[in-house]
Amino acid sequence: MPRKTINELDNELVIPGLHGILGMLNSILGRREIMAQKWWIKHCLENHPACQPRVSSRDSSCFLPTRLVDVRSYPKIRLVLKEELPEDSAKHWKYTALSYCWGNSMPEEGKTTQKTLDARRKSIHIAQLPPTLRDAIKLTHNLGVPFVWIDSLCILQLSKDDKDDNTDWNYEPSTMSQVYSRAYVTIAAAVGNHCGVSFLRTSYTDDDIVAQRNSLTLLEGYYDKYAWLISFNRSPLLTRGWTLQERELSPRILHFTRMYVIWECHEYVCFYLRPLRPWSTPRVQLGDLGNSTYLWRFRCFDRSSRANRSRERNWYFETWRRMVEDYSTRRLTLATDKLPAIAGLADAVQEVVKSDYLAGLWRDDLIAGMLWFKLPSRSCRGSVVHDFYYAPSWSWAWTDFPIRFVVRNDNYAEVLEVRTTSVGAKRRLKFVRLRTKAFDISCNEPYVQIYLDDGRTNNDVSGAMTVCILQTSLGRFGFGLILEPVESRLLCYKRVGMVANLRCELYENLEYQEITII
């Protein structure tokens, strides 16, 4: 055997020692991060009235999800039913909730099905779970919280052999407003766009910081001040449909981005660059973000976002429309999730506005809610193409593209009736009957702006079209819907677009009539 040199012997001694020191350092920094996160949670619970649960007629102060992942014996974990927990102590049980991106699909190991439910009530093999789920379970344990709610594990999913019927999904979406609003803290895994990415492991380098800084053409000092905001706004969670209500409903959130951990509650935002350094972490009050509203996305129930509102009910209608605009830009794997993925948020808003919820709109805001148009953007995903009935033509929920609302001063139409009729075993058809003015106009009418739902505008159409007036601006210009007659039904139409800037001379001398839009 050849004799080793002194340098080779030194390397054998130094490298293991260096690895041990780095491991110890990472362990210390990891404990510091958990301590900081625990302090944020404790401080919020003890000092923030706006972050306390909103008790409503539907909620119970003792709410627990149907199923939870029990981490009390970590790394041994299992699925537990709420019935297994003593009811008289339910209010003392704490759980975290995970907000994350599935990706194109969830591995079978990451899903609970009817067939695997009994086995998972005994044990779940944590090593077989996707990294995002494993990290959420580990973090929950480190925070000292006994349970974690993860949708793919706690809601029964369809397996490859199952028929297309899942009674669990007929019920569980209706509990989302409670699942997230009652969570001790929500864990937002904002590192990757699929569940195969670890969010606890810091993966960026100093070169990444330099590259990100150089990619931004900003004023000197701007990046250093707002780098954490830029990191937050690049979160893949902001592009996913389900995560809108998950963020809106959660009183406390730990966002794990690639470079930062960001704390968000209804009163404060805090952050630190990962891993946590020995110096103290900054704390930013939501009110201090007033000049950064174009960067920071305030939530509906944040104290600062509601501080100066007037006529609270109308403010919530306006806020709902703003959230729908955001929601319409996000992606869903299944088109049928369009309304379920926002149902929990609708429940929370309904507790305030006390209005009937109609396919994504509100009965007392229906006139304004029907005035939406497709954004003329290259990034739009296509037009209305469904091979099944899902929502009425006047609802944004029927679309698969980004929209914007156009709300004007005065309602010109009156809602007479909104009727629901059962169609088959599952589908429900909603139509609205209005008292308004419907008439034909030329597509070349001066000043008129045309927004068809298939993406066509003024330059793409010719001839005449039928329109109805919903609102007016300053009493001079009308805004309404472009209609297409339904065959064999008198004065019955479906919406095919929106029209703006109709001169009052076109309709002011016409008679009101009653029309139906399906």
Side-chain angles (χ1 to χ4, degrees):
M1 179 182 294
R3 182 175 298 178
K4 295 182 180 180
T5 66
I6 294 178
N7 287 340
E8 289 173 333
L9 291 172
D10 286 344
N11 287 339
E12 288 184 356
L13 294 173
V14 172
I15 292 177
L18 178 59
H19 288 171
I21 292 172
L22 290 176
M24 185 182 300
L25 179 60
N26 287 333
S27 177
I28 293 172
L29 293 176
R31 287 198 297 270
R32 281 185 53 80
E33 292 198 36
I34 289 296
M35 289 174 61
Q37 294 160 16
K38 284 184 174 180
W39 186 90
W40 284 337
I41 296 171
K42 182 175 183 292
H43 181 78
C44 176
L45 289 169
E46 295 177 352
N47 298 280
H48 295 168
C51 302
Q52 302 312 307
R54 297 181 301 277
V55 178
S56 70
S57 59
R58 298 179 185 178
D59 289 343
S60 167
S61 58
C62 299
F63 170 82
L64 281 177
T66 304
R67 305 175 191 91
L68 290 164
V69 179
D70 187 346
V71 305
R72 289 175 292 181
S73 299
Y74 179 87
K76 295 180 179 179
I77 62 172
R78 72 181 187 96
L79 207 60
V80 62
L81 306 183
K82 68 177 180 180
E83 290 82 6
E84 299 177 45
L85 302 174
E87 186 175 351
D88 57 350
S89 59
K91 64 181 179 182
H92 301 298
W93 294 116
K94 297 178 294 186
Y95 66 91
T96 65
L98 177 62
S99 178
Y100 68 114
C101 293
W102 277 38
N104 293 330
S105 64
M106 171 67 68
E108 289 298 312
E109 296 80 6
K111 297 189 292 186
T112 298
T113 65
Q114 188 66 55
K115 293 181 180 179
T116 62
L117 176 59
D118 289 340
R120 293 199 160 185
R121 289 180 61 187
K122 298 176 181 177
S123 175
I124 298 176
H125 299 292
I126 189 171
Q128 296 179 359
L129 298 178
T132 299
L133 277 60
R134 291 202 306 266
D135 281 359
I137 292 168
K138 178 181 179 180
L139 178 61
T140 299
H141 170 72
N142 289 341
L143 291 173
V145 182
F147 305 104
V148 56
W149 187 88
I150 300 173
D151 59 356
S152 67
L153 297 178
C154 298
I155 300 177
L156 298 185
Q157 310 294 320
L158 288 173
S159 67
K160 295 179 180 179
D161 301 327
D162 289 335
K163 296 180 180 179
D164 189 16
D165 183 25
N166 190 339
T167 56
D168 224 37
W169 271 104
N170 293 334
Y171 167 73
E172 290 297 332
S174 66
T175 70
M176 290 298 101
S177 61
Q178 299 175 26
V179 168
Y180 283 94
S181 64
R182 296 290 178 175
Y184 186 66
V185 65
T186 294
I187 301 166
V191 173
N193 59 4
H194 58 85
C195 62
V197 178
S198 170
F199 64 84
L200 290 182
R201 187 177 303 166
T202 305
S203 58
Y204 75 93
T205 65
D206 290 341
D207 292 338
D208 293 325
I209 298 178
V210 174
Q212 180 170 303
R213 185 194 302 270
N214 292 339
S215 68
L216 299 172
T217 56
L218 302 171
L219 297 175
E220 183 178 356
Y222 186 97
Y223 176 83
D224 294 330
K225 185 176 181 181
Y226 295 118
W228 65 278
L229 280 170
I230 297 169
S231 181
F232 172 82
N233 283 305
R234 289 181 173 178
S235 165
L237 296 181
L238 298 180
T239 66
R240 178 175 172 258
W242 282 94
T243 55
L244 172 66
Q245 70 173 9
E246 293 168 5
R247 178 178 175 237
E248 286 286 342
L249 296 172
S250 299
R252 288 166 291 276
I253 312 176
L254 281 169
H255 298 273
F256 288 82
T257 72
R258 192 160 177 251
M259 297 173 63
Y260 290 88
V261 172
I262 301 170
W263 163 267
E264 177 185 18
C265 68
H266 291 309
E267 297 201 22
Y268 285 102
V269 175
C270 313
F271 65 93
Y272 60 78
L273 182 66
R274 308 174 67 184
L276 179 59
R277 269 53 173 189
W279 47 84
S280 59
T281 63
R283 184 174 70 178
V284 181
Q285 199 164 357
L286 284 177
D288 297 335
L289 291 169
N291 295 328
S292 311
T293 52
Y294 60 97
L295 280 175
W296 181 254
R297 304 189 186 197
F298 287 97
R299 298 186 291 166
C300 175
F301 296 105
D302 284 343
R303 185 178 67 174
S304 295
S305 67
R306 299 160 58 195
N308 298 318
R309 69 184 186 273
S310 60
R311 295 182 299 177
E312 182 174 282
R313 195 164 182 259
N314 287 335
W315 180 89
Y316 273 102
F317 287 143
E318 178 184 347
T319 300
W320 175 262
R321 292 192 296 268
R322 189 169 66 248
M323 289 190 292
V324 166
E325 290 175 348
D326 177 4
Y327 182 64
S328 71
T329 68
R330 300 174 178 234
R331 296 190 178 275
L332 291 165
T333 303
L334 300 176
T336 51
D337 285 346
K338 193 79 171 185
L339 288 174
I342 204 172
L345 187 54
D347 286 342
V349 173
Q350 189 173 43
E351 284 294 329
V352 181
V353 299
K354 308 295 182 184
S355 181
D356 292 335
Y357 182 61
L358 305 169
L361 299 173
W362 302 101
R363 174 65 173 79
D364 296 331
D365 189 53
L366 196 55
I367 296 297
M370 289 190 291
L371 276 176
W372 51 265
F373 67 95
K374 178 180 179 180
L375 280 180
S377 168
R378 294 179 181 177
S379 62
C380 289
R381 294 188 291 276
S383 60
V384 186
V385 179
H386 293 302
D387 57 359
F388 54 89
Y389 177 85
Y390 187 62
S393 66
W394 42 264
S395 170
W396 58 268
W398 177 239
T399 70
D400 189 30
F401 47 73
I403 65 148
R404 286 292 182 270
F405 289 95
V406 179
V407 180
R408 288 302 179 245
N409 303 90
D410 302 309
N411 287 348
Y412 200 81
E414 178 186 359
V415 177
L416 300 177
E417 179 185 16
V418 180
R419 181 174 296 180
T420 301
T421 305
S422 297
V423 180
K426 296 181 179 179
R427 300 183 300 175
R428 297 182 68 83
L429 173 66
K430 292 186 176 69
F431 66 86
V432 60
R433 189 161 60 89
L434 301 174
R435 181 177 182 271
T436 184
K437 295 181 179 181
F439 54 96
D440 293 338
I441 63 164
S442 168
C443 294
N444 298 319
E445 185 69 36
Y447 308 113
V448 169
Q449 291 179 286
I450 296 170
Y451 303 95
L452 289 171
D453 293 342
D454 61 11
R456 290 180 295 162
T457 57
N458 293 61
N459 297 329
D460 307 311
V461 294
S462 60
M465 60 177 57
T466 302
V467 300
C468 71
I469 305 297
L470 296 185
Q471 288 189 326
T472 60
S473 177
L474 304 176
R476 298 176 56 192
F477 294 97
F479 294 75
L481 304 182
I482 303 173
L483 305 174
E484 182 178 283
V486 175
E487 293 183 8
S488 73
R489 297 184 64 178
L490 183 63
L491 297 178
C492 183
Y493 305 88
K494 67 176 181 179
R495 175 208 155 105
V496 293
M498 197 200 85
V499 63
N501 295 334
L502 289 163
R503 292 179 296 113
C504 62
E505 292 84 359
L506 295 172
Y507 56 85
E508 60 183 357
N509 294 323
L510 299 178
E511 295 291 330
Y512 277 95
Q513 55 187 312
E514 295 181 8
I515 66 171
T516 299
I517 306 176
I518 62 172

